[in-house]
Every structure is written in structure tokens, then in C-alpha cells.
């Protein structure tokens, strides 16, 4: 048998038993340290000395007894690896579970009897380390299974990135989405599938996450799909940690294009509502909407209002570009411009088809069917896609919206077409009002033009007339003129302006004109008396109406002589330009506006019309300019009339209208001009010299 001190210095716990009762004959210091000093003396059966004999959990006494019996009976050594054992000690309570590896061998004593040698090592720490590794491996396996289930359930991809960066694993989902093979994707190759505009920021944010290690990393960016189009994906990633150390990152990538489009739509509609709140003017509202579109949706956006319901002869249509908004680095288009859309141009085709037109093409190279064959360019030079969107209100195309993007920016698509339609719904109500006004204005203009007839052909006098509508889109003119011969051979000239710029004003204008024609034809009265009768009719039939008027009657007091009897009702004075250039306003006749004075009186004045002289009747639109005194305006008209007095009468009228640019006046203009025959040439030396334009008669 082994001596009492034979294994005292051995670090492993050692115990020796003898005989079938396995009575203890030796235990070393390490065993006593492990199990404590047992109160039973040597010679006691081992089962009383083994852990678990007091009913504690762990390896049961029966297990040890069976092993001891087998080793003693067969002589074959056995090992119990990492057996869980609780080590009860006297006075100790709740000793933690330990793990022991036990090696048992048979010993033979000098007298031929047998015993068992048991050597035990505490492997609790090693078992715990192995368990931690097992748990981490299981957690990772479960995590991967969970993510794999997500991939199988939706259009997601799963990936694993090393602690220092670079993809080390991925699911097939990414290749299905993007077409990137594993060799193209691994490491940092995944960044090649990102949109060029997003790549730098995504890489920068990811590198920051690798350093700062947030509990959760989320971002959204655009990825090139297998068909070449870009779609938005949402990325969620989390670090896999062990005692604060990053082992790797696991994340998912999900296609969220539809959600992104819905969010963008809601945000832009909210911006459009805020931008247009309180705006009543159509031009301002459309401008506010285009500033929402640019640059969030497009690089350029223009709006054309269809100013005429029917095309012109030849198939052209007039459209007014009321808004043109572009990105700051792109060439600008003038926002206000009336254009004639050609029948072969893309803009008119979009209007006639009444449906959106969408096209994508290489930057700066639109297809022939989109080439700007209209009168003016409408596409930026580097455009790569375009949307032409007719805005239909009450069954009529009220406007046409064009939008484009340029350069390397992602081309416009169907989503942008739908988004533009939603944004333009904000303009439907004011566009409807504009459309209704346009219809009203067209009716009024048609009515007005039907009344502005050609002057009569008089053998010994020339008469010319002109009318130019207001340049302001919101104005319907009330100007009118008339000229006709009476039965006695006299020629009536009249011109006037009804207060107001709407359809009722145009209707009232037509009624006053016809009423005055009837009064002037049917009575042998002075012009002042005729205007008085007209005023009485106005104050009886049109209680809210006021108007201005000049009524003139050209008579022949003697052969070759002409005289003008005239009266004025609050209207700018007639202008007389004589053959020698002498010019003067006929200001003697005075009278109030029609519909203003309860008991009106209108002067009747007769002026001789010298041979070769020109008489000009006009409305205030010809002379009035913003922020200018009326006397200054009248003097300018007198000088221009002198300069043009030698021109033929039609050219004379055109020259006066040309001196008032349309953009300088918001009012319409009407002109009636009369030219008296020139004097019969007399002997040499008797003809007068051309007078000083500044000399007043």
C-alpha cells in the first residue's frame, strides 16, 4: 500500500481505498483541501466519505460505488471526465457546483489483496470557459437562424462584417437584389452598388460606427438593383459583443422604396400646403409649388397656362409660361413668356393627348420626338429625363407642367410623375378659377371684337381704327369705338371706356355703344344733347355704371370744307394735328362722366378741320403709364403724333400704338383717326412751311 506521505506534495487530490468495502487507507493534503477534514477516521468506507452521500445533488454515491467496484473487480482503469460534484464541508452551506475529472486504478498490496487509487483534478474553470464558448456559439447560431428566417420571410439580405470592417458572410438575398456575386461583394465591394451620391456619406457613417460601436446602427441609402435602377434600402446592424469586445457585426438590408416614396410624398405635400397657404394669386401659387418641386424632385420645373381654348390656323396653340424655376447652376428660362406651340412640338402633343409623357435618355441627348422643335428651347441642355404633365381641370387642359433632371442625377420615373400630379392638385381650384376667367375673357373679347367694326368708306375722308387688348391676364377691356354715316351725309365718330374689367363691363359697353348709335342716328340734335340723353339712359338702366365718351360729328359746311361738332363726357381730349405739324388738344368741350352727375350738362363745340389735318380720338390706355402724371403722358402723345403725321393714316395709327409697349400698360387701347383731304396746290410760294411741333393752336 502507499505510505502516508507518498503523495502529499502532489497538486491533484489523491485517495486510496482497500478491500471490497473500499475503506480509506490514505488521502493527501490536496484531497483534504478540496473536501475538508472529514470527522471519520481512516478505515471508514469510502461511500461515507464521497460527495453526495448526504443527499446533495451531483454525482451520486451509487455512480462512484459502481465505478470503484468495476475497477477493483476487473483491474481496468477508468476516468470520470468533468463530473459535476457538490463538495459539502462541515459548517458550509450552499457550496457551488464544481466539476472534477477522476482517474481510478487498482492497486495490489504485499499480501495480495486489492484496493483502488483515485486521482482527482478540479476542472471547473475549464468547463466554464467551454460553456461560455458553447453559449456564444449557440447564440450566434440562433441569431443567424433568426436573421435567415427574416430573409426567407421578406425581400431582405443578411450579412456579417468583421470587427474591423469588411463583409465576411452574406445570404443569397443581396445577390438576388443587386446582381453582385460573392467575389464582387466581399470585403468593401458592397459599396460599389451604392448610389454615387450616397456612397461617401454611407462609408463615413459606417466607419464611425466601427469606432464608436453603437448598440444599433441604422441608415437608409440607394442601391443599384440587378435591373440597373436604384431603390432605397434600410439597413439595421448590431455588434456581437463578448465582455465588451466586438467579435463581429450582423445586419439586415431591406428594400423600403415604397415606404420611402410614401414618406417623401407626405413630406412634400406638407411643404406644398405650407408654401401655398394664404396665396390667392395663381402665378404666386404656381411659383411656390415649383420651388417645392425644385430641387427636391427635379432640377427644372415650368408651368404653361393654355391661354386659348382653340388652336390657331395651322394647328398652333398659344401658351403663357408663367413660372420657370431651375436649379441655381442651370441656365434660367424667362418665367413670363407667351409662346406659340407648334403642331409637331412635344408640348402641344402632350396637351392634345391629355396624358403624361415620361422619357429617360442620355444626358443632353433627347430623342427626336422630344427635341425642342417649338419656337423656344424648353429643356435644360444636360437633361437626362423629362415629364410633361397636362393639368386637366373640369375636363379641359388648363396648364402644362414640365419637369426634368440633369447630369448624373437619377432620372425621373413613374413615382415622380404621380408625385407631381399630387402636388399640382393644390393648384386645381385656382386653375379652375383661371380657366373660368379665361372662358369669360374669351367671350368678352369675342363680344368686343364683334362690335369693333371696320369704319365706313367715305369718298372724301380717310378713317382708320385700331384696338389692342390689355396685356394683363386678369383684365377684360371696356374700350369701344364706332363710326358710321348718317342719312344727311355727316360722319359720326365716337369712342368710350366703361368702368370695370370683367364680362359685365364688356356687356354694358356693347349696350352703351348700340344705344349711342341709335340716339345719334335718329335725332337731329347737337352732340351735347345726344350725350345727355345717353347719360339719362345710363342712370336709369345701369345704376352702378360709369363711363367716358367722346362723340363727334364731321359735317361739310361748304364744298371742300370740314368741321367737327363734338362733346366730351369725362374722356381724354381729342388731338388735332394740322398739315404743317401744328398740334393741339381740343379741350373747350367739357362734361362729366356718364352715370355720375344727377343733372348732367355737356358742351357742344364746333372746330374747323383744316385741309390735310388729322383728328385722333383715343382711350386712356394709349397715354397713361404707371407712376406718370397725365399731363406728361399727353405731351408725349402730341410729340409722337407730330412725328408720325406725314405717314399714311394706317401707319400713323400703328406708330402711335408702337410707342406704348404692351408691358408698360395694363389697360386696353382703342384709336379712331380721321384725315381730311390735303389742300389743293396753289401757285408756287403760297404753300405753308411745316410748323413747329411744340406750337399750340
Amino acid at each position: 500500500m502507499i505510505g502516508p506521505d507518498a503523495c502529499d506534495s502532489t497538486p491533484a487530490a489523491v485517495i486510496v481505498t482497500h478491500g471490497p468495502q473500499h475503506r480509506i487507507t490514505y488521502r493527501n493534503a490536496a484531497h483534504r483541501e478540496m473536501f475538508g477534514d472529514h470527522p471519520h477516521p481512516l478505515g471508514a468506507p469510502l461511500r461515507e466519505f464521497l460527495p453526495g452521500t448526504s443527499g446533495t445533488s451531483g454525482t451520486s454515491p451509487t455512480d462512484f460505488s459502481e465505478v470503484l467496484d468495476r475497477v477493483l473487480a476487473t483491474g481496468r482503469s477508468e476516468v470520470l471526465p468533468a463530473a459535476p460534484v457538490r463538495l459539502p464541508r462541515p459548517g458550509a452551506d450552499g457550496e457551488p457546483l464544481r466539476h472534477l475529472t477522476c482517474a481510478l486504478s487498482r492497486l495490489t498490496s504485499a499480501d495480495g489483496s486489492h484496493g483502488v487509487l483515485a486521482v482527482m483534478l478540479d476542472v471547473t474553470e475549464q468547463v466554464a470557459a467551454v460553456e461560455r464558448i458553447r453559449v456564444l456559439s449557440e447564440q450566434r447560431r440562433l441569431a443567424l437562424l433568426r436573421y435567415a428566417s427574416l430573409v426567407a420571410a421578406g425581400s431582405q439580405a443578411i450579412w456579417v462584417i468583421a470587427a474591423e470592417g469588411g463583409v465576411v458572410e452574406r445570404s443569397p438575398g443581396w445577390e438576388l437584389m443587386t446582381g453582385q456575386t460573392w467575389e464582387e461583394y466581399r470585403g468593401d465591394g458592397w459599396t460599389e452598388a451604392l448610389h454615387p451620391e450616397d456612397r461617401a456619406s454611407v462609408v463615413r457613417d459606417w466607419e464611425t460606427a466601427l469606432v464608436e460601436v453603437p448598440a444599433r446602427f441604422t441608415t437608409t441609402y440607394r442601391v443599384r438593383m440587378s435591373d440597373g435602377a436604384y431603390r432605397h434600402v434600410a439597413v439595421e446592424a448590431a455588434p456581437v459583443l463578448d465582455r465588451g469586445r466586438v467579435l463581429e457585426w450582423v445586419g439586415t438590408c431591406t428594400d423600403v422604396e415604397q415606404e420611402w416614396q410614401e414618406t417623401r410624398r407626405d413630406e412634400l405635400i406638407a411643404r406644398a400646403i405650407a408654401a401655398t397657404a394664404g396665396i390667392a394669386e395663381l402665378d404666386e401659387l404656381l411659383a411656390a409649388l415649383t420651388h417645392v418641386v425644385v430641387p427636391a424632385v427635379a432640377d427644372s420645373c415650368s408651368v404653361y397656362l393654355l391661354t386659348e381654348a382653340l388652336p390657331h390656323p395651322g394647328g398652333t396653340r398659344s401658351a403663357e409660361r408663367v413660372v420657370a424655376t431651375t436649379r441655381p447652376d442651370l441656365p434660367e428660362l424667362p418665367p413670363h413668356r407667351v409662346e406659340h406651340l407648334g403642331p409637331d412640338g412635344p408640348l402641344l402633343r402632350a396637351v392634345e393627348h391629355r396624358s403624361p409623357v415620361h422619357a429617360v435618355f442620355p444626358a443632353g441627348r433627347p430623342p427626336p420626338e422630344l427635341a425642342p422643335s417649338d419656337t423656344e428651347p424648353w429643356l435644360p441642355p444636360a437633361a437626362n429625363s423629362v415629364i410633361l404633365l397636362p393639368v386637366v381641370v373640369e375636363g379641359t387642359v388648363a396648364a402644362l407642367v414640365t419637369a426634368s433632371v440633369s447630369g448624373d442625377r437619377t432620372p425621373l420615373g413613374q413615382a415622380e410623375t404621380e408625385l407631381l400630379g399630387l402636388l399640382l392638385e393644390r393648384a386645381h381650384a385656382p386653375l379652375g378659377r383661371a380657366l373660368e376667367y379665361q372662358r369669360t375673357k374669351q367671350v368678352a373679347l369675342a363680344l368686343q371684337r364683334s362690335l369693333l367694326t371696320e369704319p365706313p368708306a367715305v369718298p372724301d375722308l380717310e378713317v382708320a381704327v385700331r384696338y389692342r387688348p390689355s396685356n394683363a391676364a386678369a383684365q377684360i377691356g371696356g374700350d369701344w369705338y364706332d363710326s358710321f354715316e348718317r342719312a344727311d351725309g355727316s360722319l359720326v365718330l365716337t369712342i368710350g371706356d366703361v368702368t370695370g374689367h370683367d364680362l359685365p363691363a364688356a356687356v354694358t359697353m356693347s349696350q352703351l355703344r348700340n344705344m349711342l348709335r341709335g340716339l345719334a342716328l335718329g335725332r337731329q340734335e347737337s352732340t351735347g344733347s345726344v350725350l345727355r340723353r345717353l347719360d339719362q339712359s345710363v342712370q336709369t338702366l345701369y345704376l352702378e355704371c360709369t363711363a367716358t365718351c367722346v362723340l363727334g360729328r364731321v359735317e361739310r359746311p361748304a364744298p371742300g370744307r370740314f368741321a367737327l361738332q363734338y362733346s366730351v363726357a369725362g374722356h381724354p381730349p381729342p388731338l388735332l394735328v394740322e398739315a404743317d405739324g401744328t398740334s393741339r388738344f381740343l379741350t373747350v368741350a367739357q362734361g362729366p362722366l356718364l352715370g355720375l352727375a344727377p343733372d348732367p350738362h355737356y358742351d357742344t363745340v364746333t372746330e374747323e378741320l383744316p385741309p390735310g389735318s388729322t383728328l385722333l380720338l383715343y382711350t386712356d390706355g394709349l397715354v397713361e403709364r404707371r407712376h406718370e402724371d397725365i399731363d406728361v403722358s399727353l405731351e408725349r402723345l402730341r410729340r409722337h403724333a407730330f412725328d408720325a403725321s406725314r405717314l399714311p393714316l394706317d401707319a400713323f395709327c400703328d406708330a402711335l400704338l408702337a410707342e406704348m409697349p404692351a408691358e408698360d400698360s395694363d389697360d386696353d387701347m382703342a384709336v379712331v383717326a380721321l384725315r381730311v383731304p390735303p389742300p389743293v396746290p396753289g401757285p408756287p410760294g403760297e404753300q405753308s412751311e411745316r410748323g413747329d411741333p411744340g406750337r399750340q393752336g
Side-chain angles (χ1 to χ4, degrees), residues 293-347:
V293 173
V294 177
V297 179
D299 294 331
S300 175
C301 184
S302 299
V303 182
Y304 297 81
L305 292 184
L306 277 299
T307 57
E308 295 178 344
L310 299 175
H312 297 292
T316 63
R317 288 281 293 272
S318 292
E320 182 182 3
R321 185 169 59 215
V322 294
V323 175
T325 302
T326 57
R327 208 176 63 197
D329 57 327
L330 292 177
E332 293 185 356
L333 292 174
H336 290 277
R337 186 185 189 96
V338 176
E339 298 189 8
H340 299 289
L341 310 184
D344 298 327
L347 301 182

Side-chain angles (χ1 to χ4, degrees), residues 138 326 352 357 365 373 408 441 595 689:
E138 180 64 14
T326 57
E352 291 176 341
V357 175
R365 290 187 291 165
S373 60
D408 297 331
K441 183 174 182 179
E689 298 293 330

Side-chain angles (χ1 to χ4, degrees), residues 350 353-359 386-390 400 414 417-418 421:
H353 292 165
R354 301 164 62 90
S355 61
V357 175
H358 169 239
V386 67
I387 293 171
L388 307 180
L389 181 65
L400 177 68
Q414 182 61 32
T417 303
E418 296 173 358

Side-chain angles (χ1 to χ4, degrees), residues 452 466-470 477 479-481 495 618-624 656-671:
L452 303 179
R466 294 289 186 273
Y467 176 77
R468 188 167 78 185
S470 166
D479 290 10
W480 53 274
Y481 63 79
I495 196 165
Y618 54 92
T619 56
D620 55 4
L622 185 66
V623 291
E624 290 182 350
L656 295 184
L657 289 176
E659 290 296 334
M660 173 59 85
E663 59 270 16
D664 286 348
S665 176
D666 292 334
D667 205 354
D668 51 348
M669 305 177 194
V671 169

Side-chain angles (χ1 to χ4, degrees), residues 561-595:
R561 292 180 57 196
F562 297 90
L564 172 70
Q565 182 185 116
Y566 75 100
S567 298
V568 176
H571 199 86
L575 175 63
L576 181 63
V577 183
E578 298 185 22
D580 63 355
T582 302
S583 57
R584 58 193 176 93
F585 289 104
L586 306 182
T587 59
V588 177
Q590 299 289 326
L593 273 69
L594 299 173

Side-chain angles (χ1 to χ4, degrees), residues 628-681:
E628 184 177 78
D629 185 82
I630 186 62
D631 292 335
V632 176
S633 302
L634 291 173
E635 175 61 22
R636 183 182 57 255
L637 173 63
R638 194 182 65 79
R639 293 197 309 270
H640 291 159
F642 164 77
D643 294 337
S645 61
R646 292 291 181 91
L647 296 174
L649 193 59
D650 284 326
F652 171 81
C653 293
D654 293 337
L656 295 184
L657 289 176
E659 290 296 334
M660 173 59 85
E663 59 270 16
D664 286 348
S665 176
D666 292 334
D667 205 354
D668 51 348
M669 305 177 194
V671 169
V672 177
L674 170 77
R675 181 160 290 170
V676 178
V680 178

